[in-house]
Amino acid sequence: MENQLTHEASTFINFRDYKFRDPKAHGYRWVDIKHLRLPAESVGGRELLAALIGHEQFRNDYAGGGVLADGTRHGPYWLELVTPDAYEAVSRKECAHTLWGWANQFGDVPSKLNADLQQEVFDRLAAADHVHYLNGLGDGTVHDWGGVHEDFHEFVLVDRSAGRISLVVAADD
């Protein structure tokens, strides 16, 4: 399939922008969400994941480098080692459990952050037809400085009724 995904929008939620009771409870955490328009023709989940991996917006090391058209890294991983087979299908409930657990690991998040996460992540999760989780590719796939993230969670939300695929990365730096 020719890569027909088009980048629609991106949202970045930086926990440091919110007032926590304990000033260090933000834990240098953030969530990056990239929304891409699905192709007009119907394609399977594996083909969608392959198209996402092949998209320029996927070439992001999430460590300050941003999206690099010729990038060789994706998060902590070597890009060439991220394949559709690296993703597992998970339920919306499993995804929500993982993300809320990560967000609240140092105590409850401030109400404004909670509302922003609900709107930007969890409402979209609730509308998703399919959820895929990039789950632990293993040490041999981590690039030369890929250990900068203590936590790195990546979910792909497919919402066919909205014609959108969303790449949700929740991590720390």
Side-chain angles (χ1 to χ4, degrees):
M1 174 180 115
E2 183 180 321
N3 197 339
Q4 297 178 14
L5 298 176
T6 54
H7 182 242
E8 263 186 355
S10 295
T11 303
F12 188 78
I13 300 172
N14 190 334
F15 282 38
R16 285 176 275 181
D17 294 339
Y18 299 85
K19 186 169 176 64
F20 285 81
R21 283 187 213 166
D22 174 355
K24 295 181 182 182
H26 58 72
Y28 298 97
R29 290 171 291 164
W30 48 263
V31 180
D32 186 271
I33 309 125
K34 293 178 175 64
H35 305 290
L36 297 103
R37 176 71 41 207
L38 292 174
E41 75 275 0
S42 179
V43 296
R46 185 174 172 80
E47 291 172 295
L48 279 178
L49 289 170
L52 175 64
I53 293 165
H55 198 280
E56 179 179 288
Q57 289 294 313
F58 197 79
R59 290 170 168 75
N60 191 332
D61 58 30
Y62 297 103
V67 173
L68 301 170
D70 295 326
T72 59
R73 294 172 176 88
H74 173 74
Y77 307 111
W78 289 112
L79 179 64
E80 66 187 18
L81 300 176
V82 180
T83 67
D85 291 335
Y87 289 85
E88 69 176 278
V90 296
S91 69
R92 290 186 299 255
K93 183 178 178 179
E94 290 171 294
C95 177
H97 178 76
T98 297
L99 289 174
W100 278 125
W102 169 82
N104 290 309
Q105 66 184 305
F106 302 123
D108 292 339
V109 298
S111 60
K112 174 68 172 126
L113 174 56
N114 188 60
D116 289 348
L117 289 170
Q118 185 64 49
Q119 177 183 343
E120 296 297 333
V121 178
F122 295 99
D123 287 352
R124 295 177 195 281
L125 172 60
D129 303 307
H130 301 283
V131 180
H132 305 276
Y133 184 35
L134 181 62
N135 191 7
L137 294 175
D139 291 337
T141 61
V142 175
H143 62 73
D144 48 350
W145 44 268
V148 299
H149 302 296
E150 188 169 317
D151 289 313
F152 185 87
H153 300 285
E154 178 176 314
F155 293 92
V156 176
L157 313 179
V158 179
D159 183 348
R160 291 191 186 273
S161 65
R164 179 182 304 123
I165 185 170
S166 298
L167 175 63
V168 178
V169 174
D172 58 46
D173 56 21

